Amino acid sequence: MSDTPRLAVVGSGRIGADLIERAQAAEDVDLVGVLVRTEKGFLDPDLQVTTPADLVARHPDLIVEAATPGVLVDYAEELLAAADLMALSGSAFADPDDEAHLRAASDEAGNAIYLPHAALFGIDGLADARSELDSVHIEARKDPAHLDFEYAEEAPEFEAGAGETVLYEGPTRGLCRRFPRNFNSHASAALAGLGLDDTTSTLIADPDAETAYHEITATGEGFELVAVRDSAIEGVTGDFTLVSTWGSVRRVLATGGGLRFV
């Protein structure tokens, strides 16, 4: 890795734009390129590229995908041939064929795919206890205005004061396939622990909810782990996700001195 680690970003939506801003303000990270579909007025023209080939030509140490599952799958092979890849679109792994493609691309290139904890926390505990876990369940509660129903079977009508509606209950794989823009963090938690089919998720729509709420409950012989995250949300992305994603990037790049938490 370079003396000053070189970072590239794919996508410039809310998370991508936040990463770009934080990277530009950091003295110990060198932002070398941003892959966009069309030129963005808020970005330095010299930073912007429109093809994966142009991005990898800038020799990043880490590429962060902050776009969509489709972009991740389409570009993974080319990006991984050049650098480690942090995938924010963890829902791509909900499709078995796409998961196989991503794992094969990583193995062939000899570069890692990092899945950040994003909206959740405690995923390190799930990974550590994987062999001892009996069950993992994730409950999510959101205002339906913050859900993207593009891939769901239907988009029901909701009214304020109507109370809660359980939109999904079952294997986490199914939730990620129905709401790929909303629950990438559930995919990461499932992959860290029991897998997408043996981890379960519940999605509760609440028109009166003012925050994005997630609760992970994991059980094993002699222990129960509970992690709760409740934070403000804009669009489909909670505020905590922005902070945690930048923290994940810095840990991968091993920037800064002092204490290291693993």
Side-chain angles (χ1 to χ4, degrees), residues 27-49:
E27 296 182 355
D28 53 359
V29 174
D30 185 9
L31 180 66
V32 297
V34 179
L35 179 58
V36 297
R37 286 183 295 181
T38 58
E39 187 171 313
K40 308 300 180 184
F42 70 92
L43 282 177
D44 182 339
D46 292 338
L47 271 179
Q48 302 182 60
V49 298

Side-chain angles (χ1 to χ4, degrees), residues 14 18 22 118-119 212 229-245:
R14 188 175 183 220
D18 184 80
R22 293 176 189 270
R229 191 224 73 178
D230 196 5
S231 76
I233 185 170
E234 178 182 326
V236 297
T237 302
D239 287 3
F240 176 71
T241 301
L242 305 179
V243 176
S244 72
T245 300

